[in-house]
Amino acid sequence: MNTGNRFFITGIGTGVGKTVVSAVLAQHFQAGYWKPIQSGDLAQSDSIEVGGLINPYLKIYPERFRLQLAVSPHQAAEAEDVRIELSDFQLPRTDGPLIVEGAGGLFVPVNDRHFMIELIEQLQLPAVLVVRDYLGCINHTLLSVQALKAASIPVAFVVFNGIFNPATRAVLISHCPAEATIIELPEFEYLNRNEIYKAAIALKKYPHYDPTRTNQAGPAS
């Protein structure tokens, strides 16, 4: 399968900014957006948020599962007597770029046997790992990198989302996957379509993903 400009957005945990990064990358690549599982916040879902931040002509694909509780997918599905299987998921039919956003981190349960990392494998997409600076982020980032490596999932981008302590940033950069482009996004004071557009334009300075390349670190900020 040709995965050019098709990526699965995951993070080192919950609340690190996957949805904002998804919007920036969708705008940058002029890509459609798909959230396979939405748990909770159905009236203001991630799909609705991304749709309000990117150009209106970019396609937002409907979620495969929309669950009421704001908990892990397996728990939310159990509460509604719904069974989620990896075989339930196929990429939307499109020949264009696509941004797929996961729920939480790599080991969020999809059901009682499978985790989000296995959904990435199922969809056969390179990953985008979103990182935010907090106490423990180095540990969470390196564990995520090792898990992706063990699963033979290529990492297209490692996104430093927001402001980082220089010492933390240095350690993370030195341990990023060789094939990944490191990109850095600002701390958004305002979150709106104009700010997402400016951040997307700024990504032009970074090399695009090429699975045959190594050491793709972007320019230092």
Side-chain angles (χ1 to χ4, degrees):
M1 180 179 66
N2 179 10
T3 59
N5 292 344
R6 295 183 178 193
F7 307 105
F8 193 106
I9 313 300
T10 189
I12 63 170
T14 300
V16 296
K18 293 188 306 298
T19 301
V20 171
V21 172
S22 294
V24 172
L25 292 180
Q27 183 64 48
H28 175 68
F29 288 111
Q30 296 293 281
Y33 169 86
W34 182 44
K35 176 91 172 185
I37 308 172
Q38 176 71 41
S39 297
D41 300 320
L42 298 185
Q44 187 54 43
S45 67
D46 292 339
S47 296
I48 292 171
E49 181 176 354
V50 170
L53 292 174
I54 62 177
N55 283 344
Y57 59 78
L58 295 175
K59 176 75 171 178
I60 305 294
Y61 295 91
E63 302 93 336
R64 177 62 180 83
F65 291 94
R66 290 172 53 85
L67 305 168
Q68 296 290 334
L69 290 182
V71 293
S72 67
H74 85 299
Q75 184 178 347
E78 183 179 1
E80 297 183 33
D81 198 24
V82 171
R83 180 69 187 176
I84 302 176
E85 296 290 352
L86 293 182
S87 58
D88 292 325
F89 300 96
Q90 293 83 36
L91 291 173
R93 293 185 179 181
T94 174
D95 293 328
L98 182 67
I99 300 299
V100 180
E101 182 184 351
L106 293 170
F107 288 96
V108 165
V110 174
N111 54 41
D112 56 2
R113 294 177 294 116
H114 299 113
F115 299 92
M116 197 60 57
I117 191 171
E118 293 169 273
L119 179 57
I120 304 176
E121 293 179 286
Q122 163 83 7
L123 298 176
Q124 300 180 39
L125 295 177
V128 174
L129 183 62
V130 181
V131 181
R132 194 163 180 85
D133 193 358
Y134 57 82
L135 184 62
C137 76
I138 294 176
N139 181 57
H140 294 164
T141 300
L142 300 191
L143 287 172
S144 297
V145 166
Q146 288 301 313
L148 291 165
K149 181 179 179 180
S152 299
I153 297 172
V155 181
F157 302 102
V158 175
V159 180
F160 290 11
N161 186 29
I163 299 169
F164 277 72
N165 178 284
T168 298
R169 179 181 178 276
V171 171
L172 294 177
I173 286 178
S174 67
H175 289 86
C176 282
E179 77 273 14
T181 294
I182 300 167
I183 62 179
E184 301 185 55
L185 292 181
E187 192 73 43
F188 290 98
E189 183 177 359
Y190 303 103
L191 192 56
N192 54 44
R193 187 167 285 160
N194 184 55
E195 293 302 306
I196 293 297
Y197 178 79
K198 289 192 293 186
I201 290 295
L203 293 192
K204 289 183 177 181
K205 66 184 179 182
Y206 295 98
H208 284 193
Y209 175 60
D210 179 349
T212 66
R213 291 183 57 197
T214 59
N215 299 319
Q216 299 191 79
S221 60

